[in-house]
């Protein structure tokens, strides 16, 4: 239900905390739907394509930075109205599209296709969503696990200031006083 980039990052962090104990073989999905737009409107925020795309990138980028494979869940309406070309190109699509007679051998272009919301599964009472995956996500994610996660610029800078003896590298998001900045500049100039 995020309607700002910061809220999307916080939602991603909550998601990461929830999945931390588990080994995932399928992607983590960003899911922005009609309720998301309605809640934003109740807060006085009109969700534009630009805003929804920034929110998607904030969530997905946070998940990716933690080393997970991420995709965007959307229906055709939201895909065209709320996500720019960068989001469509950058993240795999989990498409919600429910034809009366789905032909699973001829899927729309997507990584995962949710082809029904009225399926049934033994042991579950009521309707369930039915999906088909068209990419080998377990294999893609296994490769991702084997690949070292590249450090962010902030992480690289933290390591550098510690190695140079300029700062302890702690609390990168905390404001620094002038005295602390002067001390770091002095240390940098005299190392």
């Amino acid at each position: 239900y995020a309607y700002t980039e910061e809220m999307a990052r916080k939602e991603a962090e909550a998601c990461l905390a929830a999945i931390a104990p588990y080994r995932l073989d399928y992607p983590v999905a960003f899911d922005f739907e009609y309720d998301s737009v309605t809640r934003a409107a109740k807060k006085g925020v009109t969700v534009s394509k630009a805003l929804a795309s920034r929110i998607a990138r904030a969530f997905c980028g946070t998940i990716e930075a933690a080393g997970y494979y991420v995709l965007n869940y959307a229906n055709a309406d939201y895909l065209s109205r709320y996500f720019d070309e960068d989001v469509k190109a950058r993240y795999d699509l989990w498409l919600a599209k429910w034809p009366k007679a789905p032909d699973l051998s001829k899927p729309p272009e997507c990584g995962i296709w949710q082809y029904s919301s009225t399926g049934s599964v033994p042991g579950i009472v009521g309707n369930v969503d039915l999906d088909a995956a068209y990419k080998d996500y377990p294999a893609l994610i296994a490769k991702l696990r084997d690949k070292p996660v590249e450090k962010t610029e902030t992480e690289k800078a933290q390591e550098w200031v510690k190695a140079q003896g300029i700062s302890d590298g702690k609390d990168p998001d905390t404001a620094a006083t002038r005295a602390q900045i002067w001390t770091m500049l002095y240390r940098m100039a005299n190392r």
Side-chain angles (χ1 to χ4, degrees):
Y1 299 118
Y3 51 86
T4 69
E5 291 169 77
E6 184 56 32
M7 289 173 74
R9 280 190 272 287
K10 288 190 184 302
E11 286 181 356
E13 289 165 5
C15 176
L16 290 168
I19 65 176
Y22 306 101
R23 177 188 162 120
L24 302 185
D25 290 323
Y26 271 77
V28 175
F30 174 70
D31 184 3
F32 190 81
E33 298 190 43
Y34 297 99
D35 284 348
S36 304
V37 172
T38 300
R39 283 182 181 234
K42 288 178 182 175
K43 298 291 185 180
V45 176
T46 301
V47 178
S48 64
K49 183 180 276 195
L51 176 59
S53 295
R54 288 193 310 271
I55 290 169
R57 281 190 286 277
F59 181 93
C60 294
T62 302
I63 299 295
E64 277 186 330
Y68 291 92
Y69 199 106
V70 67
L71 54 70
N72 185 27
Y73 173 89
N75 62 32
D77 174 41
Y78 264 48
L79 200 58
S80 66
R81 278 202 303 157
Y82 288 108
F83 298 112
D84 64 24
E85 293 305 314
D86 175 65
V87 170
K88 293 177 200 174
R90 175 76 182 86
Y91 304 107
D92 284 357
L93 174 62
W94 183 356
L95 181 65
K97 183 177 181 181
W98 309 321
K100 287 191 187 276
D103 182 349
L104 298 181
S105 68
K106 296 179 182 173
E109 285 197 31
C110 58
I112 299 176
W113 179 20
Q114 184 182 89
Y115 60 89
S116 176
S117 65
T118 58
S120 65
V121 173
I124 298 177
V125 176
N127 292 334
V128 296
D129 294 338
L130 297 177
D131 302 271
Y134 293 95
K135 289 188 175 188
D136 186 351
Y137 285 110
L140 290 169
I141 289 169
K143 286 181 187 175
L144 184 64
R145 278 190 197 108
D146 295 338
K147 182 178 158 186
V149 177
E150 186 164 329
K151 293 180 179 164
T152 66
E153 289 292 313
T154 300
E155 291 169 328
K156 291 175 188 176
Q158 277 179 295
E159 289 178 1
W160 183 82
V161 296
K162 285 171 61 177
Q164 300 300 315
I166 296 167
S167 171
D168 63 7
K170 294 179 182 173
D171 301 320
D173 296 321
T174 304
T177 65
R178 287 187 208 168
Q180 290 169 322
I181 293 170
W182 295 336
T183 302
M184 287 185 281
L185 290 171
Y186 178 80
R187 287 178 185 162
M188 191 171 82
N190 292 297
R191 60 181 169 95

